[in-house]
Amino acid sequence: MNAPAGNPTRTRSHVLEDAIGIPPESPTLVPAARYYSPEFARLEVERMWPKVWQLACMVDHVAQPGDYFEYRCGPYGVLIVRGDDGVLRAFQNACRHRGNSLCVGSGSGLSELKCGYHGWTWDLAGTLKRVPDRKGFGSLRLSDFPLVPARVDTWEGLVFVNLDVDAMSLLDYLEAVPDDIAWCNLGDFRCYATLTVEVDANWKTIADGYSETYHIQTLHPELLRCVDDIHAPQQIWGHTGKSDQPYGVQSPRFDGALSDEEVWDAYVYTQGALMGAAEGTPFPAAERRPGQTVQDVIADRTRAFAASRGVDLAWADTDRITRLHQYNVFPNMTFLANADHLTVMCSRPGPDPDRGEMVIFLMTRMAPGAARNKPTDVRATAGAAEPGVVLTQDIGLLAGLQRGLHQPGFAHLVLSSEERRVINMHRNLERYLDLPEPERMSGGNAV
């Protein structure tokens, strides 16, 4: 089987690029109040959230006529509906009479959109059809009160919405990302569940954690034993950015001190499920062919595990299977992908600036022609959520991090060029919020 079209496997010279790049003359300073100020959160709600593309759900949530999904972000609600004609549409989730939300949650079998308060009713294309006791409104034309539309579009099975009907197209917004990851055929993955974790932290505090690898050496000691966190080159395109890291190798910070067995054990402990290996699975030394690295053995095991699910990974070399490509899409989305892995994460604002949500889309690559099903949607508190060793460690840190940001002596975040994807998020945020110069970031490289 031929490899899918897209970027060629990186050469060794590219692999050895580091995550820091060219150091700036000084750190980048970001005002800490952005993470807890009610006034700053108000600006985000007014000027940013209604203007950006946001991942709402999966196509499988709204695959059939009559399927619907309610997406919430702060005070905003968007209702995504599959019409009788098969067309996917999105509307602001508000009855045109008194503003009541038309649908809550998600479901199937809708034939119309009827407000549960006074009975105003629209068809699935958003056209007003019935108003009880209409004569009481005098000269009321049904055509004057359609549901207010929102933009909706899909990419590789993901459904995005934008409240700005004049926004740039989704593909333009995603910039270089679709071409850069085309080789992976993301559309072959299916989301089997979403996990929404309620966190005592600002949405940016959550998003920052999946926008840099600087924290791996301290927060994730088990992961450090099986990932090269230093040679993790990064790119910034605009609304988007990218980092990629080789897995199945020990961090150069160990200076080669770990044995192959120790690297294997760390990989099995942190992500053994990706190759169908239970915790404690010993290093398969007998399977190792002459010249094979630990990465090669992991790749072989991953191909075999995929084959057991009817998935052919013969096209994917060791690098495609063990190098994790992480993409950030402003303001709040990241996805991590390799040949047989895809996890998508978003952060969303909560009821106040010190609370937010982490939403994790759990995916698996499926065999051609496999049945499609609606994902199971689960909510959990930060204390109850256990989405794997690494993400559980990330979640456990967030509340304390948010508290620290409030301290009166902590005026700025001090960021390295290794944290450039965090810096890029703030750069875009400043642009959408149109902040005056004194309220912008300082230091770092000139933009």
Side-chain angles (χ1 to χ4, degrees), residues 148-162:
V148 179
R151 292 285 296 274
V152 62
D153 206 346
T154 64
W155 174 67
E156 298 291 10
L158 308 173
V159 178
F160 292 79
V161 295
N162 194 323

Side-chain angles (χ1 to χ4, degrees), residues 313-376:
L313 288 184
W315 57 268
D317 64 12
T318 293
D319 189 73
R320 288 298 195 207
I321 292 174
T322 59
R323 181 178 296 275
L324 191 66
H325 301 254
Q326 180 170 349
Y327 296 85
N328 294 84
V329 179
F330 179 80
N332 62 337
M333 171 188 165
T334 192
F335 68 92
L336 303 96
N338 63 29
D340 199 39
H341 172 66
L342 177 63
T343 297
V344 184
M345 296 185 293
C346 295
S347 62
R348 296 173 187 162
D352 61 63
D354 286 313
R355 288 185 285 174
E357 296 177 344
M358 174 186 282
V359 185
I360 306 169
F361 293 75
L362 303 169
M363 319 280 282
T364 188
R365 191 184 285 278
M366 300 296 289
R372 306 183 73 107
N373 298 294
K374 282 195 176 187
T376 301

Side-chain angles (χ1 to χ4, degrees), residues 197-202 205-206 353-357 382 395 398-403:
V197 184
E198 300 166 359
V199 180
D200 290 333
N202 187 266
T205 306
I206 300 168
D354 286 313
R355 288 185 285 174
E357 296 177 344
I395 292 168
L398 291 171
L401 180 54
Q402 185 69 24
R403 286 194 302 272

Side-chain angles (χ1 to χ4, degrees), residues 182-223:
W183 62 270
C184 195
N185 288 344
L186 296 184
D188 291 344
F189 286 88
R190 298 287 184 272
C191 177
Y192 58 88
T194 70
L195 173 62
T196 299
V197 184
E198 300 166 359
V199 180
D200 290 333
N202 187 266
W203 71 269
K204 295 183 292 296
T205 306
I206 300 168
D208 288 354
Y210 50 66
S211 300
E212 47 89 2
T213 57
Y214 183 39
H215 69 279
I216 290 178
Q217 59 184 304
T218 304
L219 184 60
H220 304 309
E222 301 90 351
L223 188 63

Side-chain angles (χ1 to χ4, degrees), residues 59 77 86 130 178 212 236 246 251 312 352 394 398 418-419 425:
V59 169
R130 294 192 304 277
E212 47 89 2
I236 300 294
S251 170
D312 181 8
D352 61 63
D394 288 328
L398 291 171
E418 191 167 354
E419 298 161 293
M425 184 272 288

